[in-house]
Amino acid sequence: MNSYLLRRLFPFYIVAVAAEFIFTLYSICATEAVLDESFFGLVKTFGILLLTTTSAFLAVMVPYVVYLMLLPQKWQNGRGDKYISYFFYFVFALCTIGEEFISAYFWQKSGFPASLAVFRHSYSNFDMLAAEFFSSDFVEFMSFGCLIILGLLMYFTARYTLTAIPAPKFINRVFQTAVYAVVCVMTYANINAETLAVSAVPANNELSKEGTYTLIKETVKNYQGTDFPEE
C-alpha cells in the first residue's frame, strides 16, 4: 500500500491510540476492582487493547479513506483538501476524546471500563446512567476539557494530516482502497477479544476492549440475532 495513504491516516491513528492508552492508565489507577498488575498481565492487556483499537480505527476511517480515493491529484493539499481534512480530524478527535471523558464517568459510576460497554449488558442501566450523566456537573467539565484539548490538537497537529508525498493515480488509489477494505474486514474477523482473553481477572479483559470496537461487535451480534442484552 502506498505510503501516501498511510501517511494521511497516521495522525488520526496516533490520536486514537494515545487517547485510549491514557484512559486505560487512568482506569488502572482509579479502579477499586481487582486487577492483574503483573508485568506480563499489563503487557497482554495493552497489547490486546492496541489490536482492538486498531480494528475499530480501520472501520471508523473508511469515509476518510474513500475521500482520499476520490480526491483528484491536482487538488491534493489545496484549500479544499485542507479544510475537509481538518474537518475530518476535528470530528474524529472530538468523538475520540469525548468518548474517553464519558468512559471515565461511566467507569466511576458503574465499574465498566468502556462507556459503551454498559450497552451490551443492560439497556435499562444504560438509560439510567445516561440520564444521570447529562444532569451532572461533569458535562460542563467534559465540555471545557474537550475544548482545551481539541484546541491544542488542532493548533499543533492538524497540519500533519496533509503530506508532501504525491497521491498516486486514480486507478492505484482505487486498488489501495480495495486493499484497505480487505484489511479492515480481515482485521475485524480475526481480532476477537473474547478468545484473546488476557487473564482470569475480568477487569483486565474489559480494559483490553476498546469502546468503539465493543460497540461494533455487539451491534453486529444484535443485528444477526446472536446476542441480545437482557432487559
Side-chain angles (χ1 to χ4, degrees):
M1 185 177 291
N2 189 284
S3 59
Y4 167 77
L5 179 58
L6 298 179
R7 175 61 184 77
R8 294 290 296 251
L9 293 176
F10 184 70
F12 295 84
Y13 185 66
I14 292 299
V15 170
V17 172
E20 196 61 43
F21 273 56
I22 290 172
F23 165 69
T24 303
L25 287 174
Y26 161 79
S27 299
I28 291 174
C29 295
T31 185
E32 297 180 358
V34 176
L35 282 172
D36 179 3
E37 297 183 353
S38 66
F39 174 76
F40 288 107
L42 292 178
V43 168
K44 289 173 66 178
T45 298
F46 280 97
I48 296 177
L49 176 65
L50 180 62
L51 291 177
T52 57
T53 300
T54 300
S55 177
F57 172 82
L58 291 173
V60 168
M61 292 304 296
V62 167
Y64 187 63
V65 172
V66 172
Y67 160 73
L68 293 177
M69 178 188 72
L70 298 175
L71 178 68
Q73 285 179 309
K74 63 180 181 180
W75 291 359
Q76 179 189 348
N77 295 344
R79 180 176 297 180
D81 183 24
K82 177 180 177 180
Y83 290 155
I84 293 174
S85 296
Y86 283 11
F87 173 76
F88 270 108
Y89 189 61
F90 176 83
V91 172
F92 177 83
L94 175 62
C95 293
T96 300
I97 296 168
E99 180 196 2
E100 303 310 334
F101 271 105
I102 297 172
S103 297
Y105 178 85
F106 278 116
W107 172 256
Q108 289 292 335
K109 292 294 183 179
S110 67
F112 293 107
S115 60
L116 296 172
V118 183
F119 178 81
R120 77 181 191 275
H121 287 280
S122 171
Y123 288 124
S124 58
N125 284 351
F126 179 79
D127 292 340
M128 180 183 67
L129 288 170
E132 183 179 345
F133 168 75
F134 284 110
S135 63
S136 69
D137 295 334
F138 185 78
V139 174
E140 296 180 4
F141 169 78
M142 182 192 72
S143 300
F144 180 76
C146 282
L147 285 176
I148 295 297
I149 297 174
L150 280 172
L152 293 174
L153 270 177
M154 294 303 296
Y155 182 79
F156 288 106
T157 67
R159 62 182 179 273
Y160 295 113
T161 58
L162 305 178
T163 177
I165 299 174
K169 295 181 179 180
F170 178 71
I171 188 64
N172 292 332
R173 298 201 304 273
V174 172
F175 173 75
Q176 291 160 16
T177 303
V179 172
Y180 180 92
V182 171
V183 171
C184 185
V185 172
M186 293 299 293
T187 301
Y188 170 82
N190 290 281
I191 294 180
N192 188 341
E194 300 298 336
T195 58
L196 295 173
V198 175
S199 69
V201 182
N204 286 74
N205 296 328
E206 290 294 331
L207 282 169
S208 67
K209 302 172 187 176
E210 195 270 339
T212 305
Y213 162 88
T214 299
L215 179 64
I216 293 172
K217 286 284 186 178
E218 294 303 319
T219 300
V220 172
K221 286 182 180 180
N222 292 341
Y223 178 77
Q224 294 175 338
T226 57
D227 182 33
F228 289 96
E230 297 180 0
E231 294 290 347

PDB file of all heavy atoms in Angstrom, residues 1-9 163 165-166 168 176:
ATOM      1  N   MET A   1       0.848  -1.200   0.000  1.00  0.00           N
ATOM      2  CA  MET A   1       0.000   0.000   0.000  1.00  0.00           C
ATOM      3  C   MET A   1       0.882   1.248   0.000  1.00  0.00           C
ATOM      4  O   MET A   1       1.847   1.332   0.752  1.00  0.00           O
ATOM      5  CB  MET A   1      -0.913   0.001   1.229  1.00  0.00           C
ATOM      6  CG  MET A   1      -1.906   1.158   1.251  1.00  0.00           C
ATOM      7  SD  MET A   1      -3.026   1.078   2.680  1.00  0.00           S
ATOM      8  CE  MET A   1      -3.984  -0.372   2.235  1.00  0.00           C
ATOM      9  N   ASN A   2       0.588   2.186  -0.864  1.00  0.00           N
ATOM     10  CA  ASN A   2       1.396   3.392  -0.999  1.00  0.00           C
ATOM     11  C   ASN A   2       1.468   4.141   0.323  1.00  0.00           C
ATOM     12  O   ASN A   2       0.495   4.246   1.053  1.00  0.00           O
ATOM     13  CB  ASN A   2       0.786   4.289  -2.079  1.00  0.00           C
ATOM     14  CG  ASN A   2       1.703   5.452  -2.412  1.00  0.00           C
ATOM     15  OD1 ASN A   2       1.801   6.405  -1.665  1.00  0.00           O
ATOM     16  ND2 ASN A   2       2.357   5.342  -3.552  1.00  0.00           N
ATOM     17  N   SER A   3       2.655   4.693   0.631  1.00  0.00           N
ATOM     18  CA  SER A   3       2.852   5.379   1.900  1.00  0.00           C
ATOM     19  C   SER A   3       2.005   6.639   2.007  1.00  0.00           C
ATOM     20  O   SER A   3       1.816   7.167   3.103  1.00  0.00           O
ATOM     21  CB  SER A   3       4.329   5.729   2.079  1.00  0.00           C
ATOM     22  OG  SER A   3       4.793   6.552   1.018  1.00  0.00           O
ATOM     23  N   TYR A   4       1.494   7.129   0.874  1.00  0.00           N
ATOM     24  CA  TYR A   4       0.637   8.316   0.899  1.00  0.00           C
ATOM     25  C   TYR A   4      -0.579   8.096   1.793  1.00  0.00           C
ATOM     26  O   TYR A   4      -0.896   8.919   2.649  1.00  0.00           O
ATOM     27  CB  TYR A   4       0.194   8.660  -0.528  1.00  0.00           C
ATOM     28  CG  TYR A   4      -0.927   9.667  -0.602  1.00  0.00           C
ATOM     29  CD1 TYR A   4      -0.685  11.027  -0.409  1.00  0.00           C
ATOM     30  CD2 TYR A   4      -2.243   9.263  -0.857  1.00  0.00           C
ATOM     31  CE1 TYR A   4      -1.723  11.952  -0.471  1.00  0.00           C
ATOM     32  CE2 TYR A   4      -3.274  10.178  -0.927  1.00  0.00           C
ATOM     33  CZ  TYR A   4      -3.008  11.525  -0.729  1.00  0.00           C
ATOM     34  OH  TYR A   4      -4.030  12.441  -0.779  1.00  0.00           O
ATOM     35  N   LEU A   5      -1.275   6.980   1.596  1.00  0.00           N
ATOM     36  CA  LEU A   5      -2.464   6.697   2.388  1.00  0.00           C
ATOM     37  C   LEU A   5      -2.110   6.503   3.858  1.00  0.00           C
ATOM     38  O   LEU A   5      -2.779   7.042   4.749  1.00  0.00           O
ATOM     39  CB  LEU A   5      -3.169   5.452   1.844  1.00  0.00           C
ATOM     40  CG  LEU A   5      -4.437   5.013   2.583  1.00  0.00           C
ATOM     41  CD1 LEU A   5      -5.478   6.132   2.594  1.00  0.00           C
ATOM     42  CD2 LEU A   5      -5.019   3.759   1.945  1.00  0.00           C
ATOM     43  N   LEU A   6      -1.048   5.752   4.110  1.00  0.00           N
ATOM     44  CA  LEU A   6      -0.637   5.530   5.492  1.00  0.00           C
ATOM     45  C   LEU A   6      -0.260   6.840   6.165  1.00  0.00           C
ATOM     46  O   LEU A   6      -0.586   7.059   7.345  1.00  0.00           O
ATOM     47  CB  LEU A   6       0.546   4.557   5.542  1.00  0.00           C
ATOM     48  CG  LEU A   6       0.287   3.149   5.003  1.00  0.00           C
ATOM     49  CD1 LEU A   6       1.548   2.309   5.104  1.00  0.00           C
ATOM     50  CD2 LEU A   6      -0.855   2.489   5.760  1.00  0.00           C
ATOM     51  N   ARG A   7       0.412   7.693   5.420  1.00  0.00           N
ATOM     52  CA  ARG A   7       0.838   8.978   5.982  1.00  0.00           C
ATOM     53  C   ARG A   7      -0.358   9.871   6.309  1.00  0.00           C
ATOM     54  O   ARG A   7      -0.354  10.579   7.334  1.00  0.00           O
ATOM     55  CB  ARG A   7       1.782   9.676   4.994  1.00  0.00           C
ATOM     56  CG  ARG A   7       2.202  11.069   5.393  1.00  0.00           C
ATOM     57  CD  ARG A   7       2.955  11.098   6.718  1.00  0.00           C
ATOM     58  NE  ARG A   7       3.253  12.472   7.102  1.00  0.00           N
ATOM     59  CZ  ARG A   7       2.373  13.318   7.627  1.00  0.00           C
ATOM     60  NH1 ARG A   7       1.129  12.925   7.837  1.00  0.00           N
ATOM     61  NH2 ARG A   7       2.727  14.547   7.926  1.00  0.00           N
ATOM     62  N   ARG A   8      -1.380   9.846   5.469  1.00  0.00           N
ATOM     63  CA  ARG A   8      -2.572  10.658   5.725  1.00  0.00           C
ATOM     64  C   ARG A   8      -3.366  10.130   6.925  1.00  0.00           C
ATOM     65  O   ARG A   8      -4.035  10.891   7.620  1.00  0.00           O
ATOM     66  CB  ARG A   8      -3.469  10.689   4.484  1.00  0.00           C
ATOM     67  CG  ARG A   8      -2.890  11.405   3.271  1.00  0.00           C
ATOM     68  CD  ARG A   8      -2.804  12.911   3.446  1.00  0.00           C
ATOM     69  NE  ARG A   8      -4.063  13.568   3.601  1.00  0.00           N
ATOM     70  CZ  ARG A   8      -4.636  14.369   2.676  1.00  0.00           C
ATOM     71  NH1 ARG A   8      -4.026  14.580   1.519  1.00  0.00           N
ATOM     72  NH2 ARG A   8      -5.781  14.965   2.913  1.00  0.00           N
ATOM     73  N   LEU A   9      -3.297   8.841   7.173  1.00  0.00           N
ATOM     74  CA  LEU A   9      -4.030   8.246   8.289  1.00  0.00           C
ATOM     75  C   LEU A   9      -3.249   8.296   9.603  1.00  0.00           C
ATOM     76  O   LEU A   9      -3.846   8.194  10.684  1.00  0.00           O
ATOM     77  CB  LEU A   9      -4.365   6.779   7.974  1.00  0.00           C
ATOM     78  CG  LEU A   9      -5.350   6.525   6.832  1.00  0.00           C
ATOM     79  CD1 LEU A   9      -5.495   5.024   6.589  1.00  0.00           C
ATOM     80  CD2 LEU A   9      -6.706   7.137   7.133  1.00  0.00           C
ATOM     81  N   THR A 163       0.293  15.953   3.513  1.00  0.00           N
ATOM     82  CA  THR A 163       1.638  15.445   3.279  1.00  0.00           C
ATOM     83  C   THR A 163       2.144  15.871   1.906  1.00  0.00           C
ATOM     84  O   THR A 163       1.354  16.054   0.972  1.00  0.00           O
ATOM     85  CB  THR A 163       1.666  13.903   3.371  1.00  0.00           C
ATOM     86  OG1 THR A 163       2.977  13.430   3.076  1.00  0.00           O
ATOM     87  CG2 THR A 163       0.697  13.277   2.396  1.00  0.00           C
ATOM     88  N   ILE A 165       3.975  13.948   0.174  1.00  0.00           N
ATOM     89  CA  ILE A 165       4.040  12.739  -0.649  1.00  0.00           C
ATOM     90  C   ILE A 165       2.944  12.813  -1.710  1.00  0.00           C
ATOM     91  O   ILE A 165       1.763  12.990  -1.374  1.00  0.00           O
ATOM     92  CB  ILE A 165       3.840  11.479   0.211  1.00  0.00           C
ATOM     93  CG1 ILE A 165       4.936  11.384   1.268  1.00  0.00           C
ATOM     94  CG2 ILE A 165       3.824  10.226  -0.656  1.00  0.00           C
ATOM     95  CD1 ILE A 165       4.729  10.239   2.249  1.00  0.00           C
ATOM     96  N   PRO A 166       3.285  12.714  -2.991  1.00  0.00           N
ATOM     97  CA  PRO A 166       2.258  12.854  -4.043  1.00  0.00           C
ATOM     98  C   PRO A 166       1.264  11.703  -4.037  1.00  0.00           C
ATOM     99  O   PRO A 166       1.637  10.550  -3.806  1.00  0.00           O
ATOM    100  CB  PRO A 166       3.086  12.873  -5.334  1.00  0.00           C
ATOM    101  CG  PRO A 166       4.346  12.158  -4.988  1.00  0.00           C
ATOM    102  CD  PRO A 166       4.630  12.480  -3.555  1.00  0.00           C
ATOM    103  N   PRO A 168      -1.060   8.876  -5.533  1.00  0.00           N
ATOM    104  CA  PRO A 168      -0.926   8.037  -6.735  1.00  0.00           C
ATOM    105  C   PRO A 168      -2.075   8.292  -7.707  1.00  0.00           C
ATOM    106  O   PRO A 168      -3.031   9.004  -7.393  1.00  0.00           O
ATOM    107  CB  PRO A 168      -0.989   6.611  -6.163  1.00  0.00           C
ATOM    108  CG  PRO A 168      -1.759   6.750  -4.894  1.00  0.00           C
ATOM    109  CD  PRO A 168      -1.403   8.086  -4.334  1.00  0.00           C
ATOM    110  N   GLN A 176      -5.675   0.625  -3.795  1.00  0.00           N
ATOM    111  CA  GLN A 176      -5.264   0.750  -2.388  1.00  0.00           C
ATOM    112  C   GLN A 176      -6.471   0.774  -1.456  1.00  0.00           C
ATOM    113  O   GLN A 176      -6.432   0.203  -0.359  1.00  0.00           O
ATOM    114  CB  GLN A 176      -4.430   2.020  -2.213  1.00  0.00           C
ATOM    115  CG  GLN A 176      -3.081   1.953  -2.891  1.00  0.00           C
ATOM    116  CD  GLN A 176      -2.481   3.318  -3.119  1.00  0.00           C
ATOM    117  OE1 GLN A 176      -2.911   4.296  -2.525  1.00  0.00           O
ATOM    118  NE2 GLN A 176      -1.487   3.387  -3.982  1.00  0.00           N
TER     119      GLN A 176
END
